[in-house]
């Protein structure tokens, strides 16, 4: 006689075969489908970290909205920061389809337990930082995220399609800020170059550690969550930047950067991975400030959440035919 435990193993084996077949055939895994627990956990981690990055990423630019140099610049920057809020919300919703609640994710973030992109822990002292962030940080985000539109998990891939369209606008507005500064006074050109000097290396680090030090990458590629390796994406990004830097008249701050005909790729200087891991651990220039700001915003927004919940409760009562 077969024990129930054995039956569940048989079920899982069938389900796993079905899952593998869907992935192999480039079909999407949807929330209703069975999926291996490790796949679910990997996606929860990746999508929630991505959502947190969008939300924390609003801060370095948000603090320039009131100081943008013209009404037009203010309107553009405000639209961009609002887009990032929208990205965060799509992504939290996508993560929720995997069985984690929004409250849990938010709590992990404000308790300092969740990771987010380490780039948002650097300060934004000048207006040129808005240009450098748009050009480099949103530029790196596009290179990272375009392949995610084909992610095997349906809700994540679909969210990425709209996110990527908006990221293209973000990158263009950053490029255009830098172009305007580079056509300005000597002081403005220096300000643009200085901002690029500060953001260039952290933007390269956004693709994650080199392939030989990225233990989870291979599994994510087998599952078709990730389509290209960290180093391949970094190469693609640098290949995009080089001609754009020429148009801007900006120098990319890497004396070792040059095209290598033999390898058909760019040789580049060493990224400071010690700094990257320090910032990731919470020791960057603005980590504490970013989390504190998010915690305060969350607490100050409590009345909005309560009011929305109460409104939803009354609407439900009305729908049932009871007067609230
Ligand atoms: Fe975004
Ligand atoms: Fe963006």
């Amino acid at each position: 006689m077969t024990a129930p435990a054995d039956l569940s193993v048989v079920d899982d084996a069938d389900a796993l075969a079905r899952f593998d077949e869907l992935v192999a055939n480039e079909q999407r895994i949807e929330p209703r489908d069975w999926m291996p627990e490790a796949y679910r956990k990997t996606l929860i981690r990746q999508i929630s970290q991505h959502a947190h990055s969008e939300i924390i990423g609003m801060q370095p630019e948000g603090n320039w909205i009131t100081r943008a140099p013209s009404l037009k610049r203010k309107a553009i920057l405000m639209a961009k920061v609002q887009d990032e809020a929208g990205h965060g919300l799509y992504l939290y919703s996508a993560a929720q389809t995997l069985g984690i609640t929004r409250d849990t994710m938010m709590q992990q973030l404000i308790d300092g337990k969740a990771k987010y992109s380490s780039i948002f822990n650097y300060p934004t002292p000048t207006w040129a930082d808005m240009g450098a962030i748009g050009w480099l940080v949103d530029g790196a985000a596009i290179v990272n995220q375009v392949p995610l539109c084909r992610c095997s998990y349906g809700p994540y891939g679909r969210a990425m399609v709209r996110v990527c369209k908006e990221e293209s606008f973000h990158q263009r507005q950053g490029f255009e800020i830098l172009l305007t500064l580079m056509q300005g006074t000597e002081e403005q050109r220096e300000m643009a170059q200085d901002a690029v000097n500060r953001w260039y290396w952290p933007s390269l680090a956004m693709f994650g550690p080199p392939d030989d030090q990225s233990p989870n990458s291979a599994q994510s590629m087998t599952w078709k969550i990730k389509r290209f390796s960290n180093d391949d994406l970094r190469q693609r990004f640098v290949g995009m930047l080089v001609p754009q830097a020429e148009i801007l008249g900006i120098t990319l701050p890497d004396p070792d950067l040059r095209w290598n005909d033999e390898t058909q790729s760019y040789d580049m200087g060493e990224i400071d991975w010690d700094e990257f891991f320090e910032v990731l651990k919470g020791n960057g220039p603005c980590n504490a400030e970013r989390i504190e700001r998010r915690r305060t915003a969350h607490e100050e927004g409590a009345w909005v959440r309560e009011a929305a919940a109460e409104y939803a409760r009354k609407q439900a009562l009305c729908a049932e035919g009871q007067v609230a």
Side-chain angles (χ1 to χ4, degrees):
M1 189 180 157
T2 314
D6 293 333
L7 278 177
S8 76
V9 170
V10 172
D11 278 351
D12 276 4
D14 285 351
L16 180 60
R18 168 92 185 121
F19 170 87
D20 287 342
E21 193 188 322
L22 283 173
V23 172
N25 293 338
E26 297 287 331
Q27 284 175 302
R28 288 250 153 105
I29 306 299
E30 297 297 338
R32 62 171 184 271
D33 294 328
W34 181 92
M35 62 190 83
E37 210 35 44
Y39 176 84
R40 182 189 301 276
K41 283 201 177 122
T42 298
L43 278 166
I44 288 178
R45 193 182 61 234
Q46 180 170 337
I47 301 173
S48 65
Q49 283 177 9
H50 191 164
H52 296 326
S53 302
E54 303 282 355
I55 296 298
I56 295 288
M58 294 164 73
Q59 291 185 35
E61 291 172 290
N63 73 27
W64 271 96
I65 291 173
T66 54
R67 293 176 290 163
S70 69
L71 184 59
K72 185 180 137 200
R73 293 289 183 200
K74 202 187 289 270
I76 294 171
L77 187 59
M78 206 162 2
K80 191 223 184 226
V81 173
Q82 282 177 342
D83 282 353
E84 307 300 6
H87 299 173
L89 298 183
Y90 300 151
L91 289 162
Y92 283 129
S93 298
Q96 282 175 277
T97 64
L98 292 156
I100 187 167
T101 66
R102 179 89 54 106
D103 283 348
T104 305
M105 288 185 277
M106 197 45 68
Q107 203 57 46
Q108 288 169 344
L109 178 61
I110 61 183
D111 287 346
K113 287 182 189 150
K115 288 204 176 76
Y116 55 85
S117 184
S118 61
I119 195 127
F120 299 118
N121 293 311
Y122 290 91
T124 47
T126 73
W127 169 250
D129 288 304
M130 300 305 98
I133 289 182
W135 185 45
L136 296 171
V137 179
D138 293 274
I142 293 171
V143 173
N144 239 330
Q145 291 170 11
V146 164
L148 285 174
C149 295
R150 294 191 293 129
C151 169
S152 58
Y153 189 58
Y156 194 29
R158 287 190 290 273
M160 280 303 110
V161 174
R162 176 154 173 192
V163 166
C164 283
K165 284 182 188 159
E166 292 176 346
E167 295 302 351
S168 301
F169 151 65
H170 299 170
Q171 204 251 355
R172 294 296 301 171
Q173 65 89 40
F175 180 86
E176 205 259 340
I177 289 174
L178 291 177
L179 190 61
T180 306
L181 289 172
M182 290 306 285
Q183 290 167 348
T185 64
E186 186 54 34
E187 205 182 347
Q188 286 172 318
R189 279 194 290 277
E190 277 171 20
M191 191 164 78
Q193 182 66 58
D194 169 67
V196 169
N197 291 350
R198 283 181 288 109
W199 290 94
Y200 178 73
W201 290 103
S203 75
L204 290 192
M206 281 174 72
F207 296 94
D211 295 345
D212 53 6
Q213 292 161 46
S214 180
N216 298 326
S217 283
Q219 179 63 78
S220 279
M221 283 172 78
T222 310
W223 279 330
K224 296 186 182 168
I225 294 173
K226 204 176 156 84
R227 298 282 177 160
F228 301 99
S229 77
N230 296 352
D231 288 332
D232 283 351
L233 291 170
R234 205 170 357 251
Q235 274 290 334
R236 192 176 287 200
F237 178 55
V238 170
M240 183 184 92
L241 290 184
V242 169
Q244 294 182 2
E246 260 171 49
I247 294 168
L248 288 171
I250 267 182
T251 307
L252 295 174
D254 179 0
D256 298 324
L257 179 65
R258 63 184 56 86
W259 177 253
N260 183 331
D261 251 341
E262 228 166 86
T263 59
Q264 287 292 300
S265 62
Y266 283 95
D267 292 336
M268 46 183 107
E270 191 62 36
I271 295 172
D272 185 346
W273 292 109
D274 290 342
E275 177 184 314
F276 174 80
F277 286 114
E278 271 307 298
V279 178
L280 205 60
K281 263 195 275 170
N283 303 325
C286 301
N287 293 60
E289 181 188 327
R290 300 285 186 247
I291 295 294
E292 188 47 42
R293 180 74 200 99
R294 178 90 287 278
R295 184 184 300 117
T296 312
H298 189 68
E299 283 163 11
E300 287 174 354
W303 69 272
V304 180
R305 293 190 296 280
E306 281 163 24
E310 183 58 15
Y311 179 75
R313 191 186 67 84
K314 288 185 177 171
Q315 288 293 103
L317 283 178
C318 287
E320 284 170 19
Q322 300 174 35
V323 180

